[in-house]
Amino acid sequence: MNRLSFANLSTLPASIQSPEARSAGGVGIVHFGPGAFHRAHQAAYVDDLLTHDPRWGIAAVSMRTRGTIDALAEQDGLYTLAIRDADPSMRVIGAHRRFLGPEDAAETHSLLADPAVALVTTTVTEKGYCLGGDGTLDMGHPDIVHDLAGTTVPRSVVGWIVAGLAARRAAGTVPFVPMPCDNLASNGAKLHAALVAFATRTDPSLADWIAGEVRIPSTMVDSITPASDAALYGDIASTLGVEDRAAVQRESFTQWVIRRHRVPARPRPRQRRRGRHHRCRRL
């Protein structure tokens, strides 16, 4: 059986929503941690957005292993989202455009420095932010110790974000907006404090710039996302007629709450088509 790809989107059942007719676009979001929850949750919102604003494609960055990004790359970034609820459904998501692993540090650095990238989002679990019991950056965490030593390939998401912001500041370009998407209380404020604390150890002037110029909204995300299993893969193969080894599943309810904050305006394309309203709420 063939793997899901752009080449066989036209063969899928007519009832399956897919990005078949979508125009090409750029990367506007770099995402660290492209696991099942991100692909079932944030990427679905972005997939809706891309139908009328193609600037917001996602670059998926995995800091530890290549399994997920390789599976996505083998399928042209496509995968099936199965809704498991009273009214089940399936759709094909096509929000990811770049696939970067631990060996692709130079390309990750380049993307973080690119002015077209406006958001850097994260789903790395609470432990991924390297915070101590008091909610501040743990300077003794092995990944933070490694990154503060001056390596060009960070191990922590904090190290990566600071490196990207340093490149923006050096180039005189607008900073991207970091947006944590893990259920950590006051996640925006804690990540902001962690970035400032990290930068203080390497470049106090950069720390001052981050403190004054970088805005990080706090967020809340919610949707039950069971692990993908053989039953899911079998169901998709029988329904779509193609194999999909990057498929994910979740309940129908989903929520993404973003605390309102000011960000620099980005140029909009001259023509925009109407799209579906996004199920995203701002406080």
Side-chain angles (χ1 to χ4, degrees):
M1 183 176 289
N2 293 329
R3 290 282 290 273
L4 177 65
S5 69
F6 273 108
N8 53 38
L9 278 183
S10 62
T11 69
L12 302 185
S15 60
I16 302 297
Q17 178 186 339
S18 78
E20 179 183 2
R22 182 179 298 160
S23 61
V27 169
I29 302 170
V30 171
H31 182 83
F32 288 91
F37 183 79
H38 159 72
R39 287 179 285 130
H41 187 278
Q42 291 102 29
Y45 285 88
V46 175
D47 195 63
D48 287 340
L49 176 61
L50 288 173
T51 60
H52 62 93
D53 192 342
R55 299 174 299 165
W56 294 99
I58 302 171
V61 181
S62 177
M63 296 185 291
R64 297 286 189 262
T65 61
R66 297 195 61 91
T68 296
I69 58 171
D70 284 346
L72 287 171
E74 290 170 6
Q75 298 180 177
D76 300 330
L78 303 175
Y79 62 93
T80 308
L81 169 59
I83 303 300
R84 304 303 210 188
D85 224 315
D87 186 18
S89 64
M90 294 183 185
R91 63 183 284 193
V92 174
I93 303 292
H96 298 86
R97 291 176 175 154
R98 304 276 281 277
F99 317 98
L100 309 175
E103 305 84 1
D104 303 312
E107 190 174 354
T108 302
H109 277 294
S110 178
L111 278 170
L112 292 174
D114 187 347
V117 171
L119 282 174
V120 173
T121 55
T122 56
T123 48
V124 294
T125 76
E126 182 176 346
K127 292 182 179 180
Y129 298 95
C130 302
L131 304 181
D134 61 355
T136 64
L137 187 64
D138 179 4
M139 294 299 181
H141 191 287
D143 289 348
I144 299 300
V145 171
H146 172 273
D147 293 351
L148 287 173
T151 178
T152 58
V153 183
R155 289 180 182 170
S156 71
V157 72
V158 169
W160 269 116
I161 293 174
V162 170
L165 290 172
R168 294 292 187 102
R169 177 173 178 257
T173 54
V174 173
F176 52 73
V177 175
M179 186 183 294
C181 299
D182 292 282
N183 278 328
L184 173 67
S186 302
N187 53 14
K190 288 179 179 176
L191 178 57
H192 191 269
L195 299 180
V196 172
F198 183 98
T200 297
R201 295 291 186 97
T202 59
D203 184 348
S205 64
L206 173 63
D208 291 341
W209 183 80
I210 293 173
E213 299 297 327
V214 178
R215 300 291 180 264
I216 306 180
S218 288
T219 69
M220 187 278 289
V221 296
D222 188 18
S223 189
I224 297 174
T225 306
S228 300
D229 54 19
L232 171 66
Y233 297 140
D235 190 12
I236 288 171
S238 63
T239 302
L240 272 60
V242 295
E243 183 181 14
D244 181 355
R245 287 296 170 180
V248 291
Q249 57 187 339
R250 65 164 168 81
E251 64 173 335
S252 61
F253 174 82
T254 181
Q255 190 174 38
W256 188 0
V257 183
I258 303 171
R259 186 175 181 84
R260 186 182 300 276
H261 74 303
R262 290 183 176 275
V263 296
R266 298 185 73 215
R268 294 186 176 274
R270 293 181 180 180
Q271 294 182 346
R272 297 182 65 186
R273 292 180 294 174
R274 291 186 178 273
R276 296 192 303 173
H277 181 71
H278 301 289
R279 306 176 300 281
C280 182
R281 182 163 63 91
R282 298 199 305 177
L283 297 177

